[in-house]
Amino acid sequence: MLQPNNGVTDEVYKGHGGTFRNTMAEIDTPDPSVIYKDGYYYMTFTHNGTDIMVMKSLTLDFRQAERKVVWYPPAETAYSANLWAPELQYIRGSWYIYFAADDGQNENHRMYVLQADSGDPLGGYTFQGQVTDSSNRWAIDGLAMEVDGELYFVWSGWEGEVNIAQNTYIAPMSDPLTISGPRVLLSEPQLPWERAGGPPYINEGQSVLHHNGRVFIIYSGAGSWTPYYSLGLLALKPGGNPLEAADWIKSQEPLLAMDEAAGVYGPGHNSFTVSPDGSEQWIVYHATTGADDGWNNRKARAQPVSWDVDGLPVFGKPLPLSEAIPVPAGMGVLPAEAALRSGGKLEFPSLPSTVDSEVPLLVHYVNPGGEPAGAAVSVNGGPPAALQLPPSGEGQTGYAYLSLPFTAGKNTVAIELPEGVVAEVKAIEIPRYEGEAQAMEGDAAAEDNPYASGGAGAVLGGSGASLKFSHLQVPHSGTYTVLAAVMNASPDAELELSVNGGARIGYSPLPQERNQPSLWQLELKLQRGANEIILFDRQGSFSIDYMDIWQKSE
């Protein structure tokens, strides 16, 4: 077991950082709806059109997410078939899922809503009926929008009974279940890029974005079955009335479109989420890797949103799957508010591991008292390990490391403080960086491996290949233990490692059984804030499963 570390800093630390790579899941996840709340990301999506699934993850990587079908439609109803584009929303203290469905005939698609029975979005739901205006026309892709305390429903619909074009409509709501006024037409697919692949011509997949008091509707245009599927923008004028079509300004060109050079086709049907610390907004959208994929191979991807000088959103080009993206600020930090609390005991559930593995635990705490506090830390109800939490100072955060034995599947970490101590646990995180999530150069590629920590690894296949672990964050400057798990090395394999551009350190992996790691452990000086560690392939081949970073007690 690692020795506990006790470090205190008054600097702002937002988590261990690192990078991730799209896609967000290994399965098709068209029409992704992602929301962050209380330490977890939740995603729902069009799940074969037969039911509604919700996934729960500590990060934007949903490969190890907890997954549950939360609702099956009853047979032989108006909403038994073709369940499309569910939208998971938390509105005024309750979870809702809006979805489109029909009876097997597309012309009968209408919008419906589920309401959660509890505060758990993976719990049970009650069907609350149809969400409709008085016209009761064809409707899909609906969601609620709140502006200045008033609720509105935004959706894609037909003007009449014939599938000629899908328009963007809005209507007022008296509550999250009820439309309370006539629909208003906001946008028709009249721009050249919106009409690609038609007829029918498309405005659909509406989503809502708020920033600095401004309100935006992002929608998808062009045929969803084509590589031309793209994202457009409706911007509400400052102080404008959401029910006045003239108060919405439509951009003439798409904000996100296919990029053949990046191998991204049909980027569309998006949602928005935030970084765990609330400082960043992220767009989540689906796209394919082939121009002829049609409705196949649509997988969720994420990238950060930026803003231009006029306060309008900028998405940039869709990022290639090879790009390592810095994680959202604070991602992977699980706050104490997300734990199950019983007296002085906190339980943090749903911590995933593909395999049995020793993992580093970083505990954030405050201890304003003058004496160390002893915490008992256990995994899955096993024997507790002792963790010392030295005084952190009034209003200061301390950090303590410990190693824990995770088992394959979902793990629960319990931390218990004795009665009467003044120390308080604020959050936990697992500072492990998976090899497959890093930037790769030369003959290097991600490869699935069920025996690896995250179900995959990075394979380096010859001299000139490298693996770059970037945006590695530590709470304070000092000497840290860095452990690299090397797997399936050829007999002649030789590695080198460099920290923040410094001198290279060499290593020859010890022979191991197939898919068993050779653990390379080093003591390295890291700076508070971002660090970069690069692994180089000098010769031979090998796989990097993961890299752990922790700090021993001094």
Side-chain angles (χ1 to χ4, degrees):
M1 176 167 292
L2 304 183
Q3 295 298 312
N5 163 76
N6 309 298
V8 177
T9 180
D10 58 0
E11 302 288 349
V12 175
Y13 170 72
K14 296 183 177 181
H16 62 276
T19 58
F20 76 98
R21 290 171 54 174
N22 287 316
T23 58
M24 295 168 62
E26 80 287 358
I27 61 174
D28 282 8
T29 44
D31 315 325
S33 170
V34 175
I35 185 171
Y36 176 84
K37 191 173 189 306
D38 297 334
Y40 294 96
Y41 285 98
Y42 298 91
M43 180 196 292
T44 187
F45 55 97
T46 299
H47 187 232
N48 303 316
T50 57
D51 54 45
I52 294 178
M53 173 182 281
V54 177
M55 302 196 294
K56 174 183 179 181
S57 176
L58 269 175
T59 72
L60 285 179
D61 184 346
F62 282 82
R63 287 170 179 81
Q64 298 184 74
E66 184 177 352
R67 303 175 182 187
K68 183 181 178 183
V69 174
V70 299
W71 190 75
Y72 294 94
E76 299 182 357
T77 72
Y79 48 88
S80 295
N82 299 316
L83 279 67
W84 291 352
E87 285 282 343
L88 178 64
Q89 295 188 269
Y90 188 75
I91 306 170
R92 298 179 178 178
S94 187
W95 291 98
Y96 297 88
I97 297 178
Y98 299 97
F99 67 97
D102 64 26
D103 58 0
Q105 302 297 318
N106 177 48
E107 60 268 24
N108 294 327
H109 257 113
R110 299 295 188 272
M111 286 302 306
Y112 301 91
V113 62
L114 308 175
Q115 184 173 3
D117 299 330
S118 71
D120 181 6
L122 268 67
Y125 284 81
T126 297
F127 178 73
Q128 296 287 15
Q130 186 179 350
V131 182
T132 184
D133 69 304
S134 58
S135 73
N136 195 25
R137 301 290 196 213
W138 186 93
I140 65 169
D141 298 351
L143 79 167
M145 176 180 77
E146 188 164 7
V147 179
D148 296 331
E150 299 294 329
L151 283 176
Y152 305 87
F153 200 65
V154 179
W155 72 97
S156 174
W158 295 351
E159 179 182 3
E161 301 290 345
V162 182
N163 186 12
I164 299 173
Q166 294 173 217
N167 305 322
T168 298
Y169 290 97
I170 189 173
M173 302 185 84
S174 57
D175 58 59
L177 307 176
T178 311
I179 289 177
S180 56
R183 67 178 184 171
V184 175
L185 174 65
L186 294 186
S187 171
E188 298 175 273
Q190 297 177 336
L191 299 173
W193 72 266
E194 296 174 308
R195 298 171 70 84
Y201 307 111
I202 305 297
N203 277 187
E204 66 180 19
Q206 288 77 9
S207 62
V208 177
L209 180 62
H210 297 266
H211 182 69
N212 287 347
R214 296 290 306 275
V215 182
F216 307 94
I217 294 175
I218 311 298
Y219 66 93
S220 299
S224 61
W225 55 92
T226 75
Y228 308 110
Y229 202 49
S230 304
L231 294 178
L233 172 69
L234 295 172
L236 184 63
K237 295 177 181 178
N241 180 355
L243 296 175
E244 288 289 340
D247 285 351
W248 292 90
I249 301 172
K250 186 174 184 176
S251 294
Q252 297 300 295
E253 298 295 333
L255 273 68
L256 191 73
M258 75 170 176
D259 187 335
E260 293 181 273
V264 181
Y265 299 90
H269 204 121
N270 75 288
S271 59
F272 294 98
T273 189
V274 297
S275 60
D277 74 344
S279 67
E280 303 166 350
Q281 290 179 305
W282 287 68
I283 183 172
V284 178
Y285 59 93
H286 75 231
T288 75
T289 55
D292 299 321
D293 283 346
W295 286 323
N296 299 312
N297 192 30
R298 294 180 295 171
K299 292 183 171 63
R301 306 162 183 235
Q303 59 192 66
V305 176
S306 60
W307 302 89
D308 67 15
V309 295
D310 297 319
L312 298 178
V314 176
F315 304 149
K317 293 183 177 181
L319 299 178
L321 298 185
S322 60
E323 182 153 340
I325 307 166
V327 302
M331 194 176 83
V333 177
L334 190 56
E337 291 77 9
L340 305 175
R341 186 182 296 268
S342 176
K345 184 178 183 179
L346 296 176
E347 289 190 345
F348 296 87
S350 303
L351 304 176
S353 182
T354 301
V355 296
D356 294 350
S357 179
E358 288 281 329
V359 303
L361 175 75
L362 174 54
V363 177
H364 305 210
Y365 70 93
V366 292
N367 182 7
E371 298 295 330
V377 184
S378 61
V379 181
N380 302 327
L387 178 64
Q388 288 295 308
L389 308 178
S392 63
E394 189 70 36
Q396 302 298 312
T397 301
Y399 300 92
Y401 288 85
L402 192 66
S403 176
L404 297 176
F406 273 22
T407 57
K410 298 296 186 292
N411 295 269
T412 296
V413 170
I415 303 177
E416 187 167 10
L417 291 168
E419 186 176 350
V421 301
V422 295
E424 181 183 1
V425 173
K426 304 298 289 184
I428 67 169
E429 55 181 310
I430 309 295
R432 169 165 288 183
Y433 308 88
E434 300 291 349
E436 66 274 13
Q438 313 310 315
M440 304 176 193
E441 293 186 2
D443 189 8
E447 184 176 277
D448 290 341
N449 184 342
Y451 301 97
S453 167
V459 178
L460 282 68
S463 178
S466 65
L467 185 66
K468 182 188 295 184
F469 291 79
S470 60
H471 304 281
L472 312 179
Q473 304 280 339
V474 293
H476 52 86
S477 299
T479 299
Y480 285 78
T481 299
V482 176
L483 185 146
V486 185
M487 298 176 67
N488 303 328
S490 62
D492 62 338
E494 293 184 9
L495 295 72
E496 288 183 330
L497 178 148
S498 174
V499 182
N500 295 328
R504 296 189 183 187
I505 305 167
Y507 174 68
S508 297
L510 297 175
Q512 300 286 342
E513 295 292 327
R514 180 74 178 168
N515 291 319
Q516 294 301 309
S518 174
L519 301 179
W520 183 15
Q521 185 169 308
L522 307 94
E523 302 299 314
L524 302 174
K525 290 188 179 299
L526 301 178
Q527 62 193 15
R528 187 192 67 80
N531 295 267
E532 180 178 271
I533 297 176
I534 304 178
L535 291 172
F536 300 91
D537 185 351
R538 286 192 61 189
Q539 66 178 39
S541 63
F542 53 87
S543 173
I544 299 297
D545 184 1
Y546 60 84
M547 179 180 291
D548 289 344
I549 297 178
W550 72 89
Q551 195 171 48
K552 296 178 180 178
S553 59
E554 299 177 354

